[in-house]
Amino acid sequence: MFVTKLVRVAAVATLAIGAVAGCAKEDTGGTTEGGVTLVKSGALTTCTHLPYAPFQSKDDSGKVVGFDVALIDLVATRLKVEQEIVDTPFEGIKSGADLNSGKCDVAAAGMTITDERKKVLDFSDPYFDATQALATQAGKEVKTLEELAGKRLGVQGGTTGEDYIKTQVREKSLKIEVVSYKDLAALQQALATNQVVAAVNDLPVWNEYIKANPGKVVVAAGFDTGEQYGFAVKKGNAELLKEVNAALTAARGDGSYDKIYAEWIGEKPAA
């Protein structure tokens, strides 16, 4: 009898907990005044991969800031919501998995627009012209890939920089050991600690690193690959894409794009 009462009490408690849980309201997303559907009500959720300064990284207070962040803030303002940022591996961003699963509304990760990525993502108008750069330790400069024969060259895995270098090595039959690192921080650490003699990534990224570490690393050579960055949304999300493009167009027209560029990138190249 004592056991039976315990079982009954436990059952009642379980039902009570279930009832309370059922009353808790789950955020299943929302719609802006303009009719744009978002994964979280009152927020534009952005997927990015940290760190990737000056496009996105944490400041001393832990807040995520940068060129991409500031531009997406303009989109959030246009939608009358706040931007919320999710740090997630780049693979899930470029494959479209994070957007498809509802982890975020938009991807802003210093991401180059490519035909392959267009198959799984819808890209905004280009917002940044990118150039690949070869960095070395100061005093150990090389000007060409051919000078790296028999040596280790670092790249960031899953990036267009990695694709470019592997293509060059293959097509030119260069005897270079290409080493891929999971993120930018690991790549930069590898160069700083002599794990590789040179490393390739986007020029603004190296400029930012050099600014923070003067006299240690230099940009030894550049590769004009004709790349452009774009923000991405889930395939078929035409309404949000329209708002992203409208925000970029407005920013270029009212001068706010140039101000953000000057703050995070530096002097804007002549048109």
Side-chain angles (χ1 to χ4, degrees), residues 1-270:
M1 179 64 72
F2 182 67
V3 173
T4 302
K5 286 184 177 179
L6 279 178
V7 171
R8 286 175 178 171
V9 169
V12 171
T14 300
L15 288 172
I17 292 171
V20 172
C23 291
K25 187 176 180 180
E26 182 181 352
D27 190 344
T28 56
T31 304
T32 67
E33 294 177 10
V36 176
T37 300
L38 302 174
V39 299
K40 183 178 179 181
S41 58
L44 177 64
T45 307
T46 304
C47 277
T48 194
H49 181 52
L50 302 173
Y52 204 68
F55 299 96
Q56 52 269 329
S57 61
K58 290 184 179 181
D59 64 13
D60 293 339
S61 70
K63 181 182 179 181
V64 179
V65 297
F67 185 65
D68 286 7
V69 178
L71 289 177
I72 294 297
D73 272 341
L74 298 179
V75 181
T77 297
R78 184 179 179 86
L79 296 175
K80 299 180 181 179
V81 297
E82 297 291 326
Q83 178 180 188
E84 292 190 4
I85 297 172
V86 177
D87 182 18
T88 185
F90 188 64
E91 182 58 41
I93 295 174
K94 73 169 189 172
S95 68
D98 288 337
L99 290 165
N100 291 337
S101 67
K103 181 181 285 189
C104 49
D105 301 297
V106 62
M111 181 163 56
T112 301
I113 302 169
T114 68
D115 290 338
E116 189 65 25
R117 292 172 182 171
K118 283 181 180 179
K119 295 176 182 178
V120 293
L121 300 166
D122 280 345
F123 279 99
S124 70
D125 297 332
Y127 69 90
F128 184 79
D129 295 331
T131 300
Q132 295 294 328
L134 178 73
T136 67
Q137 289 191 8
K140 301 179 180 179
E141 293 88 342
V142 295
K143 296 299 181 183
T144 65
L145 292 176
E146 284 76 7
E147 294 176 63
L148 293 171
K151 299 176 181 177
R152 289 162 58 90
L153 171 61
V155 295
Q156 182 179 345
T159 64
T160 51
E162 178 187 46
D163 294 340
Y164 174 78
I165 289 300
K166 287 186 174 181
T167 298
Q168 291 296 304
V169 168
R170 182 179 65 254
E171 291 182 351
K172 296 180 179 180
S173 300
L174 301 175
K175 303 301 181 181
I176 299 173
E177 181 183 353
V178 180
V179 185
S180 298
Y181 292 89
K182 65 177 182 178
D183 55 33
L184 176 62
L187 174 64
Q188 291 172 334
Q189 179 67 11
L191 180 60
T193 55
N194 293 307
Q195 296 176 50
V196 294
V197 298
V200 169
N201 212 297
D202 293 346
L203 178 59
V205 170
W206 286 122
N207 286 341
E208 190 73 11
Y209 182 77
I210 291 168
K211 190 190 307 180
N213 301 273
K216 295 183 179 180
V217 170
V218 298
V219 171
F223 310 109
D224 187 2
T225 54
E227 297 177 39
Q228 292 182 305
Y229 287 175
F231 299 124
V233 300
K234 182 179 178 180
K235 202 76 176 165
N237 193 348
E239 289 303 315
L240 179 54
L241 187 63
K242 178 182 175 181
E243 294 298 329
V244 173
N245 284 333
L248 289 173
T249 298
R252 292 184 187 278
D254 64 19
S256 54
Y257 176 91
D258 288 349
K259 291 179 181 177
I260 292 170
Y261 193 103
E263 179 181 0
W264 293 105
I265 308 298
E267 184 178 350
K268 197 168 183 288

